[in-house]
Amino acid sequence: MTKRKYEPKERRKEFLRKTDTEKFANLIMMYQDDMYYLALSICKNEADAQDIVGETIVKAFEARNQLRNDARFKYWIMKILTNTAYTYLKRKKRLVFEEPVEEIAAKNENSDHGLWEKVMGIEEKYRIVIILYYEQEFSTREISKILNIPEGTVRSRLARAREKLKDILEAEQSGSF
């Protein structure tokens, strides 16, 4: 019987890092549009959104060994992105100017231009839960963890956001918008 030869730990770790890096890159490619639109919904500025996504990717790459379950990657990366976006905006300490909605909506192939414009027009705390829930398809529990707020608050913000969007649509239909 021959004795099994094991590779040194460092060599195995290096191999795992390489495969993790490839996997990480593939997952980033899969979710990069989602990350961009969430960042854009928070900062309402294309250049800042790109900076936030880039900064998020760097932070996530540095912390990739902390992710234990690849199935939770999207949740994990969106949590990092949300925290990065708010930190970025605090650091900039400047007014955020809105980019023309037509340019933003034209880049989002999956959205209805009119509805996207209305969502971008509602208050940030409502806009973010709408995007995370409907566009990113996170559960209310996951959104509560991403935003560090109670799940009940997420549900109430979703309800209020729906009501605000309904009011906007009704006002538009009656011609008073």
Side-chain angles (χ1 to χ4, degrees):
M1 184 178 224
T2 60
K3 201 172 192 181
R4 190 182 236 185
K5 186 177 179 183
Y6 291 98
E7 294 180 351
K9 278 186 179 182
E10 290 304 312
R11 195 167 171 190
R12 278 184 281 161
K13 283 183 180 179
E14 185 178 324
F15 173 76
L16 287 173
R17 270 188 242 122
K18 284 181 183 176
T19 57
D20 284 350
T21 302
E22 290 173 21
K23 192 183 324 179
F24 179 84
N26 290 335
L27 289 167
I28 289 295
M29 294 296 289
M30 188 182 318
Y31 296 119
Q32 69 183 0
D33 289 342
D34 295 339
M35 293 167 59
Y36 174 76
Y37 289 115
L38 179 58
L40 187 60
S41 75
I42 294 170
C43 69
K44 289 186 158 185
N45 180 291
E46 192 173 325
D48 287 346
Q50 291 171 352
D51 289 346
I52 290 166
V53 169
E55 199 172 316
T56 298
I57 291 169
V58 170
K59 285 181 180 181
F61 184 78
E62 290 170 352
R64 71 188 180 282
N65 295 329
Q66 295 175 6
L67 179 65
R68 302 201 190 320
N69 181 355
D70 290 346
R72 305 284 294 158
F73 182 83
K74 185 176 180 182
Y75 162 79
W76 180 73
I77 196 80
M78 293 302 182
K79 175 79 172 167
I80 294 171
L81 183 129
T82 303
N83 291 338
T84 302
Y86 287 119
T87 302
Y88 183 90
L89 291 176
K90 284 178 191 172
R91 193 174 42 212
K92 296 273 287 193
K93 290 186 181 178
R94 64 173 176 79
L95 291 175
V96 177
F97 298 99
E98 287 189 38
E99 186 174 336
V101 177
E102 293 79 25
E103 291 178 28
I104 297 167
K107 293 174 187 158
N108 188 353
E109 305 165 326
N110 301 326
S111 75
D112 173 39
H113 171 73
L115 186 56
W116 179 254
E117 180 178 333
K118 287 160 188 60
V119 168
M120 291 302 287
I122 64 175
E123 197 176 334
E124 180 182 331
K125 66 182 180 180
Y126 301 121
R127 180 177 63 243
I128 291 172
V129 294
I130 286 286
I131 289 171
L132 287 171
Y133 189 77
Y134 289 107
E135 181 78 18
Q136 306 296 330
E137 299 179 350
F138 283 110
S139 69
T140 55
R141 176 173 283 146
E142 291 171 325
I143 295 169
S144 75
K145 290 178 182 175
I146 289 170
L147 299 177
N148 292 322
I149 58 176
E151 190 174 352
T153 304
V154 172
R155 280 191 238 115
S156 66
R157 286 183 185 178
L158 273 172
R160 287 187 187 117
R162 288 183 198 117
E163 190 63 37
K164 287 179 181 294
L165 289 172
K166 180 182 169 194
D167 291 346
I168 291 169
L169 291 170
E170 286 174 351
E172 189 177 78
Q173 285 178 348
S174 69
S176 63
F177 188 76

